[in-house]
Amino acid sequence: MIFSRPTSYAVRALVYLAHHYGRGPVLGSDIAKGENLPAPFLAKLMRELTSSGIVKASRGPGGGFVLGRDPRQISLWDVFTQYDGLALSGECLLGCGTCSEDNSCYVHAEWAEPKAVLKSFLKRTSIADLAARKTAVQGLVEAGN
């Protein structure tokens, strides 16, 4: 798994919200059930996503969660940096401190290109892209049954 559990769960929750974008708030329990996520852990993630502005929350009857902005404007990079950001910074892949051209570990040169490709993918891929891909894959699965 390239993403940490918090990042993976947050992305899945955001894709779920993207499928409900513009239809009003979604209960956390519905997200947890729909994505088969542990509700207590999801509640913590949703608080963090709300604090960062990626998600908006409302309380009371008719309350729940909505995306804080259009899903086309939320990139995987936005989510990744919230939970796993150091993994693509100057931190050494092997945990040897800071890696740079002047002070590099023995995998620095080999990791530079894949790191750049991954970073580009995360920045250009939106939650809306993933929601569309999920819908397409589910359609193919349903058509095959």
Side-chain angles (χ1 to χ4, degrees):
M1 176 186 308
I2 197 161
F3 295 140
S4 68
R5 188 167 309 210
T7 297
S8 297
Y9 286 3
V11 168
R12 288 168 55 193
L14 293 172
V15 167
Y16 190 91
L17 289 175
H19 279 123
H20 295 85
Y21 186 67
R23 294 192 239 158
V26 178
L27 295 173
S29 59
D30 290 341
I31 299 168
K33 184 177 178 182
E35 288 297 318
N36 195 28
L37 300 173
F41 192 60
L42 178 64
K44 177 182 181 288
L45 293 176
M46 297 308 283
R47 281 191 302 274
E48 294 167 353
L49 290 168
T50 300
S51 293
S52 70
I54 294 174
V55 168
K56 291 182 180 176
S58 56
R59 294 181 183 260
F65 298 99
V66 296
L67 293 176
R69 55 188 189 268
D70 188 300
R72 294 172 293 187
Q73 302 302 314
I74 304 169
S75 70
L76 281 178
W77 181 254
D78 296 330
V79 183
F80 182 80
T81 55
Q82 181 159 343
Y83 299 103
D84 297 325
L86 291 178
L88 290 180
S89 68
E91 183 179 330
C92 176
L93 179 66
L94 300 176
C96 299
T98 301
C99 249
S100 67
E101 295 301 319
D102 297 330
N103 181 27
S104 62
C105 71
Y106 49 89
V107 296
H108 181 78
E110 289 78 16
W111 173 235
E113 185 178 346
K115 179 171 97 170
V117 170
L118 179 58
K119 191 172 186 178
S120 174
F121 167 76
L122 294 171
K123 286 186 172 193
R124 77 172 182 272
T125 304
S126 72
I127 294 300
D129 294 333
L130 295 183
R133 290 176 190 163
K134 181 177 180 182
T135 299
V137 167
Q138 286 176 334
L140 290 174
V141 170
E142 290 172 7
N145 288 332

